[in-house]
């Protein structure tokens, strides 16, 4: 038996759910680390050399008593053994390129879901409150909006994989691929309009990735300046290009979300530390609350705290800015089918638990960021609130570093959703070659990075994307497919008309209308405030 390294020991602590079911090997006489030579000899010719070495070192990954296959995410992400749907079990799934990749336990999936949600949108939330108020009481309607929209987002996220199971709810197959929202739309609504859904699911994460690149470039540049570094090599453009080539591109080529678990843990933990820093800076004893402090004097007037001039205008159309930003801060629905497929033993109950844990924790972090940032700077909250803090504030410098790392670690999650929707537009379910997959990654990443080198205002991208694309993906598309699916099943006699179903159908009709209103009115308000601020 090989001795566990410190790295594996730490992963055992954090990923207990991932490996708990795999430790039953101690009950058997044969060690799980024993090479499975018989299985290696049966591998197809298409199995890679690295895949054979993984099997020889750690045993057969299809046996549930293999521990190191799951414990080592890097090894798991590189396994490229060609297989078929019939060969899969609860530990493996079939990727778009026909390769087996490792599934996630509840802990890993929850970290990844929270990390996918908690991104650039969270830093814009204080500015969303500042759009309609500059008094602390404005946080009451703001928190109410966050909780309501968080519940609706969680419901629609859970609904997307549910649509794939409604035809055969009594016989759920955990190895069957879950339909994406665009595939479900094509099945129930029609092929002619399915491209609209795929296009929205493609452009939304692409816009989010653009926001991440803009913010990452700003954060890295500010970090370099805070350390006294100058010159073209540490400019915003140079640092962004270097980070994209050296870190982001290799991460975007990972095959399995399981490999991102340690990165997601660091990212989520870092965002929690940033939230603590922001809460401390919002206290009455904070340097930002003391007139004439060195931190305040280092800031331009438009960045300093401002309260009590506008009041609380929660009933004005300007609150739609916060509504749109909230949608962006909980927008991961284009990857709902991937999260379901990647979850080990992905029964409806376990996916519901994942959804509840992920969105509850996301809503909590959002409220803390929103409240702490607004209570510190009031009406002068910038579109990215960390820009408000003094360049001499050491805590803010550490927070910017944490946010930069967190955003960089989110790219693989985003690019998986981007490529999935892109392949639906271009390949229509056909298998994608590894060569074309990598070429697509390079091309899309080049487009995002090139645009981020020119654009500098991430706030308008966050709010406008949430208003138009987010409202459609969260509220409209899943609800329309649900209404079509239930109507068909009722007409076929597969679903009974009950009072509960009638209420749910009515609620989904309201969601469709809500999505339309937010898209039209929210988008209009955001554009007016950006280009004609005197009108509001």
């Amino acid at each position: 038996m090989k001795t566990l390294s410190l790295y594996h020991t730490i992963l055992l602590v954090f990923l207990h759910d991932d490996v708990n079911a795999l430790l039953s090997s101690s009950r058997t006489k044969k060690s799980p680390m024993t090479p499975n030579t018989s299985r290696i000899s049966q591998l197809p010719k298409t199995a890679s050399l690295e895949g054979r070495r993984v099997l020889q070192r750690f045993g057969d990954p299809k046996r549930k008593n293999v521990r190191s296959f799951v414990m080592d995410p890097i090894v798991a992400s590189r396994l490229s053994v060609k297989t078929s749907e019939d060969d899969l079990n609860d530990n493996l799934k079939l990727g778009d390129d026909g390769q087996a990749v490792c599934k996630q336990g509840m802990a890993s999936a929850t970290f990844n879901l929270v990390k996918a949600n908690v991104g650039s949108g969270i830093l814009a939330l204080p500015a969303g409150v500042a759009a309609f108020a500059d008094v602390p009481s404005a946080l009451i309607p703001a928190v109410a909006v966050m909780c309501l929209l968080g519940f609706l987002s969680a419901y629609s996220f859970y609904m997307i994989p549910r649509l794939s199971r409604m035809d055969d709810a009594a016989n759920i197959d955990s190895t069957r691929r879950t339909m994406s929202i665009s595939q479900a739309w094509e099945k129930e609504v029609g092929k002619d309009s399915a491209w609209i859904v795929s296009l929205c699911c493609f452009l939304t994460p692409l816009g989010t990735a653009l926001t991440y690149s803009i913010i990452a470039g700003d954060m890295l540049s500010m970090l370099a300046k805070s350390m006294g570094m100058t010159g073209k090599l540490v400019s915003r453009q140079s640092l962004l290009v270097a980070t994209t080539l050296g870190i982001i591109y290799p991460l975007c080529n990972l095959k399995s979300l399981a490999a991102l678990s340690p990165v997601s843990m660091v990212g989520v933990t870092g965002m929690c530390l940033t939230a603590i820093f922001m809460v401390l800076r919002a206290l009455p004893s904070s340097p930002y609350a003391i007139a004439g402090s060195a931190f305040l004097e280092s800031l331009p007037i438009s960045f300093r705290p401002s309260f009590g001039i506008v009041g609380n205008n929660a009933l004005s159309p300007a609150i739609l800015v916060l509504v749109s930003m909230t949608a962006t801060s909980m927008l991961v629905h284009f990857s709902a089918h991937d999260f379901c497929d990647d979850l080990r033993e992905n029964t409806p109950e376990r996916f519901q638990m994942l959804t509840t844990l992920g969105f509850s924790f996301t809503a909590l972090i959002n409220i803390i960021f929103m409240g702490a940032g607004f209570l510190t700077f009031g009406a002068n909250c910038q579109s990215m609130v960390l820009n408000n803090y003094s360049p001499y504030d050491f805590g803010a410098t550490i927070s910017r570093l944490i946010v930069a790392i967190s955003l960089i670690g989110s790219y693989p999650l985003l690019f998986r959703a981007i490529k999935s929707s892109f392949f639906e537009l271009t390949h229509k379910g056909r298998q994608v070659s590894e060569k074309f997959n990598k070429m697509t990654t390079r091309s899309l990443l080049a487009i995002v990075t090139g645009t981020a080198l020119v654009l500098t205002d991430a706030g308008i991208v966050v709010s406008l994307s949430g208003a138009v694309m987010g409202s459609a993906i969260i509220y409209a598309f899943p609800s329309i497919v649900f209404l079509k699916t239930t109507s068909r099943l009722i007409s076929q006699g597969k679903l009974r008309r009950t009072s509960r179903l009638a209420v749910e159908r009515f609620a989904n009709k309201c969601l469709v209308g809500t999505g339309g209103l937010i898209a039209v009115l929210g988008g209009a308000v955001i554009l007016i405030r950006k280009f004609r601020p005197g009108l509001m």
Side-chain angles (χ1 to χ4, degrees):
M1 180 76 67
K2 295 180 182 289
T3 303
L4 292 179
S5 64
L6 177 61
Y7 165 71
H8 289 101
T9 304
I10 294 173
L11 282 182
L12 272 173
V13 174
F14 284 99
L15 304 181
H16 177 268
D17 184 63
D18 280 338
V19 300
N20 187 51
L22 305 179
L23 296 179
S24 59
S25 58
S26 59
R27 302 174 184 173
T28 63
K29 294 182 179 180
K30 185 176 180 179
S31 168
M33 309 299 287
T34 303
N36 191 343
T37 54
S38 60
R39 175 62 180 163
I40 296 172
S41 62
Q42 296 173 7
L43 282 174
K45 294 180 179 180
T46 52
S48 70
L49 176 61
E50 186 172 10
R52 293 174 182 270
R53 288 174 177 171
V54 169
L55 291 179
Q56 186 174 14
R57 180 181 177 188
F58 299 114
D60 187 352
K62 296 184 179 181
R63 290 162 48 207
K64 293 187 177 181
N65 63 352
V66 177
R67 62 183 69 170
S68 294
F69 176 78
V70 178
M71 285 168 51
D72 193 334
I74 303 303
V75 173
S77 67
R78 293 177 179 173
L79 178 63
S80 53
V81 180
K82 294 284 184 176
T83 184
S84 64
E85 292 281 2
D86 295 335
D87 294 331
L88 301 180
N89 60 17
D90 285 335
N91 292 330
L92 297 173
K93 67 167 250 184
L94 192 64
D96 291 330
D97 54 1
Q99 298 177 357
V101 294
C102 181
K103 287 191 174 185
Q104 306 175 91
M106 185 62 68
S108 301
T110 302
F111 272 108
N112 281 332
L113 178 55
V114 173
K115 186 64 211 71
N117 269 324
V118 179
S120 60
I122 195 173
L123 299 173
L125 292 175
V129 184
F132 66 89
D134 64 352
V135 291
S137 61
L139 288 177
I140 297 175
V143 171
V145 167
M146 181 67 64
C147 292
L148 175 61
L149 296 185
F151 172 77
L152 296 178
S153 294
Y155 169 75
S156 60
F157 179 84
Y158 173 75
M159 185 199 298
I160 294 173
R162 179 184 168 200
L163 295 171
S164 299
R165 294 166 166 170
M166 294 189 73
D167 272 310
D168 195 11
N171 184 27
I172 296 175
D173 181 7
S174 63
T175 64
R176 185 174 58 189
R177 295 291 293 274
T178 304
M179 290 187 297
S180 65
I181 184 60
S182 56
Q183 290 170 333
W185 181 284
E186 181 175 335
K187 176 184 176 183
E188 300 295 342
V189 181
K191 294 183 177 180
D192 293 339
S193 56
W195 66 271
I196 299 176
V197 183
S198 295
L199 185 62
C200 286
C201 291
F202 168 69
L203 292 177
T204 301
L206 191 68
T208 305
L210 172 60
T211 305
Y212 282 15
S213 289
I214 294 174
I215 298 174
D218 291 341
M219 295 299 169
L220 292 172
S221 177
M222 294 181 72
L223 285 170
K225 291 179 181 178
S226 65
M227 292 185 290
M229 302 172 66
T230 58
K232 293 185 178 180
L233 292 179
V234 293
S235 65
R236 175 181 178 275
Q237 291 79 6
S238 299
L239 290 172
L240 180 58
V241 171
T243 303
T244 301
L245 293 175
I247 301 175
I248 296 175
Y249 175 67
L251 284 176
C252 289
N253 283 320
L254 291 176
K255 298 181 181 297
S256 171
L257 291 179
L260 295 176
S261 298
V263 179
S264 295
M265 291 175 197
V266 173
V268 173
T269 303
M271 295 300 282
C272 290
L273 293 176
T274 301
I276 294 173
F277 158 77
M278 292 179 62
V279 169
L280 293 176
R281 289 293 186 259
L283 297 176
S285 59
S286 165
Y288 296 95
I290 301 175
S293 67
F295 285 173
L296 285 182
E297 293 299 322
S298 66
L299 296 173
I301 296 178
S302 60
F303 280 49
R304 298 178 187 180
S306 175
F307 293 95
I309 299 175
V310 177
N312 187 355
N313 298 315
L315 298 181
S316 70
I319 198 173
L320 290 173
V321 176
L322 176 63
V323 170
S324 301
M325 289 179 173
T326 301
T328 304
S329 68
M330 295 188 180
L331 181 54
V332 70
H333 297 62
F334 35 74
S335 297
H337 60 294
D338 282 326
F339 275 102
C340 184
D341 287 342
D342 285 345
L343 179 64
R344 188 176 302 117
E345 298 177 9
N346 57 351
T347 61
E349 293 76 17
R350 278 177 60 81
F351 188 71
Q352 184 179 25
M353 181 185 296
L354 169 64
T355 303
T356 302
L357 291 174
F359 278 84
S360 297
F361 196 64
T362 299
L364 178 61
I365 297 179
N366 283 353
I367 291 173
I368 294 174
F369 267 78
M370 178 178 68
F374 178 74
L375 290 176
T376 305
F377 298 103
N380 281 341
C381 289
Q382 300 299 301
S383 58
M384 292 294 111
V385 71
L386 285 181
N387 292 341
N388 277 98
Y389 295 92
S390 170
Y392 304 111
D393 190 339
F394 180 74
T397 300
I398 297 299
S399 296
R400 293 182 184 110
L401 176 61
I402 289 173
V403 169
I405 294 173
S406 179
L407 294 182
I408 290 171
S410 298
Y411 272 90
L413 297 167
L414 276 176
F415 262 79
R416 184 170 184 173
I418 294 170
K419 291 190 293 184
S420 177
S421 299
F422 180 75
F423 294 150
E424 285 178 359
L425 285 169
T426 59
H427 282 65
K428 299 293 183 181
R430 299 191 305 272
Q431 184 170 306
V432 178
S433 67
E434 182 67 14
K435 181 179 179 181
F436 185 78
N437 185 16
K438 289 188 176 182
M439 183 182 70
T440 302
T441 302
R442 288 193 294 267
S443 301
L444 294 175
L445 198 54
I447 293 173
V448 168
T449 305
T451 308
L453 294 176
V454 179
L455 295 181
T456 57
D457 187 1
I460 185 67
V461 179
V462 171
S463 53
L464 196 59
S465 173
V468 181
M469 299 293 185
S471 59
I473 294 174
I474 295 176
Y475 310 118
F477 294 158
S479 297
I480 292 173
V481 176
F482 174 80
L483 293 171
K484 287 285 187 179
T485 302
T486 51
S487 295
R488 174 178 60 80
L489 294 177
I490 290 173
S491 64
Q492 293 175 350
K494 296 182 179 180
L495 189 63
R496 289 191 307 110
R497 292 180 180 271
T498 62
S499 57
R500 180 178 178 179
L501 179 62
V503 171
E504 189 173 10
R505 283 178 55 83
F506 175 76
N508 276 272
K509 291 177 182 178
C510 293
L511 278 178
V512 175
T514 300
L517 286 175
I518 293 176
V520 176
L521 298 180
V525 169
I526 291 166
L527 291 176
I528 290 173
R529 286 181 60 85
K530 176 66 178 178
F531 300 105
R532 293 287 188 272
L535 297 179
M536 295 189 65

